[in-house]
Amino acid sequence: MSTDKRRDDTTEKEEEEDVDVDDILDKLEDDLSLAGYREHRLEQLKRQMENARDLREIDHGKYTEITDEKEVIRISAYEKRCVIHFYHRNFQRCTIMHNHLEKIAPKYFQTRFLRVFVENVPWLVEKLAIKVLPCLIVFVDGVTKDRIVGFEEVGNSDDFETAALELRLKSSGVISSTPNSMPTLRSMFTNDETTGSRTGNRGSKDEDGSEEEEEGGERRGGRKIRSATRRDDSDDEFDL
């Protein structure tokens, strides 16, 4: 009887030892898997950081001004995603659009955000049939994909929310469905100034929000550009 009991105790102990070994092996495998995941994730983050630095060097994550028409054409043709704001410095609603785009650009650094003063790009204004400002032209893979004219699609009010413009841009596919998710990457684009200019600063806004007309009231071609505010207000029109 005692011999059988000792055998039973020995069997139970062996089973317990087997269980303990299995648990250890399982935990070891989990640790190895976790270590592999961590290594993969670190490598992934490293690639993302390098890509973000490359994009930052070519003004992604910023809302920049381009004054050279050929450069605007080149950027719109070669960038994967691009939003160009055609504006006039005398139109208040263009200034409002500036403010919203300055907030959006650092959140979506995979997309290039530009602003161009319509007087600097007459050929593009004619080619794209831009008649009302502010006007955003959306380019995807070098092709005109969409346009946003005035504020009708973002609330039809001067105090519309930035989120409304974001949602509208998402619908066109020019920005991702979610903004930059990594705080480190976001900080790379928000710590510096989000605005800037290229090849001069002719399109910058004067302190009093206005610009003097050219001497003698010279016109450029006779094409009339209108603000999206009112049709009957001559102050909201400009001959290009």
Side-chain angles (χ1 to χ4, degrees):
M1 187 75 174
S2 59
T3 302
D4 292 338
K5 185 176 181 180
R6 282 197 299 274
R7 288 176 180 173
D8 292 340
D9 292 341
T10 302
T11 301
E12 290 178 1
K13 184 178 293 185
E14 290 175 350
E15 289 177 351
E16 289 177 359
E17 290 177 354
D18 290 339
V19 171
D20 291 340
V21 171
D22 289 340
D23 287 343
I24 292 171
L25 290 175
D26 288 341
K27 290 179 181 178
L28 182 59
E29 289 178 358
D30 290 341
D31 289 341
L32 290 173
S33 298
L34 183 59
Y37 171 77
R38 286 174 177 169
E39 184 176 354
H40 171 74
R41 183 58 178 158
L42 286 172
E43 183 63 29
Q44 187 180 46
L45 294 177
K46 181 181 177 182
R47 288 196 299 269
Q48 289 180 358
M49 292 289 288
E50 291 173 349
N51 181 51
R53 290 192 188 97
D54 292 340
L55 291 174
R56 189 184 183 204
E57 289 178 359
I58 55 174
D59 288 333
H60 281 246
K62 302 177 182 179
Y63 177 49
T64 54
E65 175 148 3
I66 306 295
T67 60
D68 181 74
E69 191 166 43
K70 291 182 180 179
E71 178 68 3
V72 176
I73 295 170
R74 186 195 68 79
I75 292 172
S76 64
Y78 289 102
E79 287 287 352
K80 178 74 175 176
R81 301 179 185 88
C82 183
V83 177
I84 302 180
H85 176 204
F86 290 83
Y87 80 96
H88 194 283
R89 67 187 64 162
N90 288 346
F91 294 169
Q92 179 60 30
R93 281 196 162 186
C94 291
T95 301
I96 294 172
M97 185 64 78
H98 284 329
N99 295 334
H100 289 291
L101 292 173
E102 285 172 358
K103 296 175 184 178
I104 293 174
K107 297 170 64 177
Y108 300 92
F109 59 79
Q110 296 291 342
T111 301
R112 185 77 185 272
F113 288 86
L114 309 177
R115 66 179 184 268
V116 294
F117 183 38
V118 288
E119 288 189 51
N120 291 336
V121 289
W123 184 86
L124 275 174
V125 169
E126 184 74 28
K127 185 72 173 178
L128 296 171
I130 296 171
K131 300 178 180 179
V132 179
L133 302 178
C135 179
L136 302 187
I137 303 293
V138 169
F139 293 87
V140 177
D141 292 324
V143 178
T144 304
K145 179 74 177 294
D146 200 356
R147 70 174 59 203
I148 303 171
V149 180
F151 294 169
E152 290 184 5
E153 297 183 73
V154 291
N156 203 23
S157 171
D158 288 1
D159 59 354
F160 71 89
E161 297 290 334
T162 302
L165 181 57
E166 281 186 77
L167 185 62
R168 179 62 182 82
L169 290 172
K170 287 176 184 178
S171 71
S172 69
V174 74
I175 61 176
S176 58
S177 57
T178 55
N180 308 330
S181 58
M182 292 178 58
T184 303
L185 294 181
R186 284 202 303 270
S187 66
M188 290 179 64
F189 298 97
T190 55
N191 285 344
D192 290 344
E193 293 183 2
T194 57
T195 59
S197 63
R198 285 287 192 85
T199 62
N201 196 31
R202 290 174 57 195
S204 63
K205 190 173 184 297
D206 295 339
E207 290 182 2
D208 61 358
S210 64
E211 179 193 26
E212 293 182 0
E213 294 182 358
E214 295 182 25
E215 186 176 354
E218 180 182 352
R219 294 187 176 185
R220 299 187 180 185
R223 179 177 177 80
K224 194 174 289 293
I225 301 295
R226 180 174 59 81
S227 168
T229 52
R230 296 180 300 277
R231 288 181 178 272
D232 57 349
D233 191 339
S234 60
D235 290 338
D236 286 335
E237 295 183 343
F238 192 87
D239 293 313
L240 187 63

